[in-house]
Each structure stands twice: as structure tokens, then as C-alpha cells.
């Protein structure tokens, strides 16, 4: 984190739920001053908990937080975004912050229209492992976003994992299908493996521990390796062995085609949400 960004920028989180708190928690760990972070919520109880846990500035007043900040991160639910931005529009027009949305299904056009002014806007799609600082965030910037603001955005989301920029807004839907929804795919596979482990005679705890540790180990191998997942799979698939038989069963059952169908369904739903939420 550069010195100028760390000390000179104030940031407001509109909404202080799990994703927001994971992001500003990561920023604080990385050295972003607590006094430069604002968080808003609709209940005093939520703000009290956030203040106690993180020591950031808190307020029920979105306008107050925005007036104090050069960066505004929108962490409200997609269905609430229009009302929140339309209410904030006069203040946003006055302060002209960098606006970052973490909501799925809200296009740049909608964000700009609801703000009532042409602001620098970044659409982001972090995923739930961000809660453990192991997230993956896809990012797309409007043409008003300058180089320094892209660096700032990178800094914010690298506090909770890795960042990747896409050069076409439609690709945010692809990010949703791969990493935004992706953790649930792996959870489903873990469920199925654990359940089968029990059917094969293992007790529930043993089957679960073996499944989870295997998933963790495989992910670490893939991240740390200098070869791709396909090559790693080949290396552990001995000809005529048990792994080869399992892989053949997956392929005979159409695993690759099923993954393709599932991810396309996620992309289609993301595009549908964008159309619905634009109304």
C-alpha cells in the first residue's frame, strides 16, 4: 500500500455487513488508518458492533460518511441500490468521489443514472472467501476512472485476496459464474464426497475431514504449481489405477458438460438481474 494512498484517502462503506467488514478489516490489517474509514448501517446495534470490533468511524447518516470521503464503497443489497443512490445523489454530485459497487447485477449505466451525475465508477465482484482474506475480485472501471483510482481500487480489494481487471463490462457476469458463485460449486462437491465417504463406511467426521483437507491441499497445489490443473490431474492419474477409474466415471457422466451448463446458467441469471434491476 503506497504511503499517499494509505494516509491521504478517506473511504466510506455504505452498508456494514460481512463483505464490507471483511474489506475494511483487511485494509486496517494492511495499515489503512482506522480514522480514515467510515461505515454506515441502518441500526445502532450494528454500528456499535462495528465500532467495537474495528474502531472505525460509524454513522447512521450515509450523507455524513460520503461528505468525509474520497472513496465510497457501496455494500448494500442490489434491490436497495437504486433508493440509496437516488437519496445520495445531491451529495455525490457535490463531492464527486470514486464510487465502487460490490453488487451483482447493477450496470454502470444504472449506477450513473441513479447518481444523477457522471462519476468515476468501478464495478467489483468479490466472493465470500474474502471473509478469510482468500477472496478473488473481478473489477471493471468506467471511462471516468483514472490510473490512480484504479491503483486505489486494487489496494482495497487486494486487502482481501487477489484482483483481476476485465476490459468489458459484460465479463463481470463471467466473473460471477467463475468466482462469485464458484465457492458454492466446491461446497456442493465437498458435500457429495463426504456423503459418499459415509456410504463407503467412514464415520461422518472422518469423511468430512478427509474431504476438506483434500480440497485444501489440491487448491494449494494448484496455486503453488508452475503447471495448470490439467497437468496436475494427469500427474496424479496413474494408468490403470483407482484415480483413472474415478476420472473416467466423471467424464462418462458428462461432468464437463454439466459444469458448462451450470456456469452458463449463472451468466444468464446475472444478465437477467441486470435487466430487472435497471427498471
Amino acid at each position: 500500500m503506497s504511503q499517499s494512498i494509505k494516509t491521504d484517502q478517506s473511504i466510506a462503506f455504505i452498508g456494514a455487513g460481512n463483505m464490507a467488514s471483511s474489506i475494511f478489516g483487511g485494509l486496517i490489517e494492511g495499515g489503512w488508518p482506522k480514522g480514515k474509514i467510515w461505515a454506515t448501517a441502518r441500526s445502532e446495534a450494528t454500528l456499535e458492533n462495528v465500532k467495537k470490533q474495528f474502531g472505525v468511524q460509524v454513522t447512521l447518516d450515509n450523507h455524513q460518511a460520503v461528505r468525509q470521503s474520497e472513496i465510497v464503497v457501496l455494500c448494500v443489497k442490489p434491490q436497495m441500490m437504486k433508493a440509496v443512490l437516488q437519496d445520495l445523489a445531491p451529495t455525490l454530485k457535490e463531492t464527486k468521489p470514486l464510487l465502487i459497487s460490490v453488487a451483482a447485477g447493477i450496470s454502470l449505466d444504472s449506477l450513473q443514472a441513479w447518481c444523477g451525475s457522471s462519476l468515476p465508477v468501478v464495478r467489483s465482484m468479490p466472493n465470500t472467501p474474502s471473509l478469510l482474506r482468500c477472496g478473488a475480485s473481478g473489477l471493471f472501471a468506467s471511462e471516468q476512472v483514472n490510473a490512480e483510482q484504479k491503483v486505489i481500487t486494487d489496494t482495497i480489494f487486494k486487502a482481501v485476496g487477489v484482483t483481476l481487471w476485465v476490459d468489458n463490462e459484460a465479463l463481470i457476469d463471467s466473473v460471477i459464474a467463475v468466482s462469485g458463485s464458484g465457492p458454492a460449486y466446491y461446497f456442493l462437491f465437498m458435500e457429495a464426497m463426504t456423503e459418499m465417504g459415509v456410504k463407503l463406511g467412514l464415520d461422518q467426521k472422518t469423511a468430512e475431514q478427509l474431504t476438506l483437507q483434500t480440497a485444501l491441499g489440491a487448491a494449494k497445489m494448484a496455486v503453488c504449481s508452475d503447471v495448470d490443473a490439467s497437468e496436475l490431474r494427469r500427474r496424479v492419474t496413474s494408468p490403470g489405477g483407482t484415480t483413472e477409474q474415478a476420472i473416467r466415471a466423471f467424464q462418462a457422466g458428462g461432468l464437463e458438460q454439466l459444469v458448462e451448463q451450470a456456469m452458463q446458467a449463472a451468466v444468464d441469471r446475472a444478465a437477467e438481474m441486470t435487466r430487472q434491476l435497471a427498471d
Side-chain angles (χ1 to χ4, degrees), residues 59-244:
T59 178
L60 293 169
D61 185 350
N62 290 341
H63 293 268
Q64 180 186 7
V66 169
R67 288 191 189 97
Q68 303 295 325
S69 305
E70 292 88 0
I71 309 154
V72 175
V73 183
L74 301 165
C75 296
V76 299
K77 293 178 179 176
Q79 295 79 4
M80 298 171 55
M81 188 70 78
K82 183 176 182 178
V84 168
L85 282 179
Q86 287 180 335
D87 175 69
L88 279 172
T91 303
L92 292 170
K93 186 175 182 179
E94 174 189 339
T95 59
K96 294 181 172 56
L98 166 63
L99 205 63
I100 301 172
S101 168
V102 301
I106 309 289
S107 68
L108 287 180
D109 286 345
S110 292
L111 292 167
Q112 296 280 18
W114 298 338
C115 289
S117 57
S118 184
L119 297 175
V121 180
V122 173
R123 282 189 65 186
S124 67
M125 181 43 55
N127 60 7
T128 52
S130 298
L131 301 173
L132 302 176
R133 316 285 193 264
C134 293
S137 299
L139 305 167
F140 177 75
S142 71
E143 61 183 12
Q144 294 86 356
V145 176
N146 62 36
E148 181 184 1
Q149 289 168 329
K150 288 189 73 172
V151 171
I152 292 169
T153 303
D154 249 349
T155 299
I156 292 169
F157 288 97
K158 281 180 178 174
V160 292
V162 301
T163 61
L164 297 115
W165 290 87
V166 296
D167 56 12
N168 183 316
E169 185 176 4
L171 291 176
I172 286 291
D173 291 347
S174 302
V175 171
I176 291 172
V178 176
S179 59
S181 298
Y185 313 158
Y186 292 102
F187 297 150
L188 179 62
F189 201 77
M190 291 175 200
E191 288 178 64
M193 284 184 63
T194 300
E195 184 177 337
M196 188 56 192
V198 172
K199 289 180 179 179
L200 290 170
L202 299 173
D203 62 78
Q204 178 73 27
K205 184 176 181 181
T206 298
E208 187 172 87
Q209 286 182 326
L210 288 172
T211 296
L212 298 185
Q213 186 62 29
T214 300
L216 177 63
K220 283 190 172 181
M221 285 183 69
V223 168
C224 297
S225 178
D226 58 357
V227 298
D228 63 18
S230 178
E231 175 60 23
L232 288 174
R233 174 178 57 80
R234 284 192 289 271
R235 290 181 181 181
V236 298
T237 306
S238 301
T242 58
T243 305
E244 182 183 65

Side-chain angles (χ1 to χ4, degrees), residues 8 14 37 41 57 146 155:
D8 295 342
I14 307 303
I37 298 173
Q57 309 299 309
N146 62 36
T155 299

Side-chain angles (χ1 to χ4, degrees), residues 40-52 58-61:
T40 76
R42 293 187 293 174
S43 77
E44 288 279 9
T46 298
L47 292 182
E48 286 175 11
N49 289 336
V50 168
K51 180 72 173 177
K52 182 177 180 180
V58 298
T59 178
L60 293 169
D61 185 350

